[in-house]
Amino acid sequence: MVLAEKWPILLRHEQAAEWLQVWSDLGRAPRTIDAYARGLTEYLTMCERAAVDPASAKRAHVAAYVRELTERPSRRGANVVVLDSGAGLSNATIQQRLVPVRLYYDFLIEDGVRESNPVGRGRYTPRRKLAGHERGLVSRVKKLPWIPTEDEWLRLLEAALGEPIRNRLMLALAYDAALRREELCSLRTDDIDPAHRTLRIRAETTKSRKERIVPYSASTGVLLSLYLAWRSSITRARGPLFLSESRRNFGQPLSIWSWSKIVRRIALAADVPRFSTHTTRHLCLTDLARMGWELHAIAALAGHANPETTMIYIHLSGRDLAKKLNAGMKHIHSWRLDKLAALPPGEAKELER
């Protein structure tokens, strides 16, 4: 089994290896399988240290695993950029680690190995009229995405000016079309329609597995023309749009990891360490919400399967709150300001003289 070669602990846990193989055979993305394998092997390792059979583990054992995750120091140490859990791992990372464990136990239940899932999940309870849902094993922290300020964005653009045409084009497309990292790096020459200034985002590269057509601006079109002229000096063959410029992989498709390193270098040069390959997407969708785009239009551009995801950017832009404040408080604001601006009778007569 290929997975067992990378994760030897699976050789000692046949059911876990079988579950991962099922997901792999069903065509799940390799990185998804890798993330599931990593999370599950961490849990299996903890079970072995505690001399517990994972197939018969109880909620107390899962709770011990959660405690271990919350107390684990970050690999980045003092250089960690964002820390929202108050411990070594963020809330989002802990949630991510629990997903494969929960799915593994779902698999055991389906196979009749056990009757209940010790991880569980938030579920609807009719008796809780106010809450509506029962809390999951670990409460989920929901934070709005970070976007750069105008000053930070200007510093990033200035730092990007010294980059090769390819990198500037990739930043422009990532913002212009709100592209995810994989969508951007997976673009091919035949995905471009210069006549209509649109890109075809193929289903296999998207998170929702749904194809979509997105536009790009005239300014980005200029960068694209310049880059295509440069690319033709390497190859005139159709294929991946973005090619590596390094000596080791010259002319090969640019990987998502290389793109992440490029963006990280630009972010540090601009002294905006929180900037990442996903920040341009957040900024674009927030800007569209600020400009008054409708929810369904933003969702269509972003390729969101769930409108609630798109609502994050409506909230982040503050558009709805500002609109309600201006409409509902206009009279009250004007009344109070008129009162503040009014002069006492004596002072008014003094000014008339």
Side-chain angles (χ1 to χ4, degrees), residues 188-204:
R188 297 176 61 84
T189 53
D190 52 0
D191 292 331
I192 306 169
D193 182 358
H196 298 92
R197 287 209 307 266
T198 58
L199 301 172
R200 180 172 65 97
I201 311 302
R202 285 169 286 115
E204 60 270 22

Side-chain angles (χ1 to χ4, degrees), residues 210-232:
K210 292 181 179 180
E211 188 172 295
R212 68 185 192 277
I213 302 295
V214 295
Y216 60 86
S217 66
S219 301
T220 301
V222 173
L223 287 174
L224 178 59
S225 298
L226 294 172
Y227 172 70
L228 289 176
W230 178 89
R231 185 184 181 279
S232 65

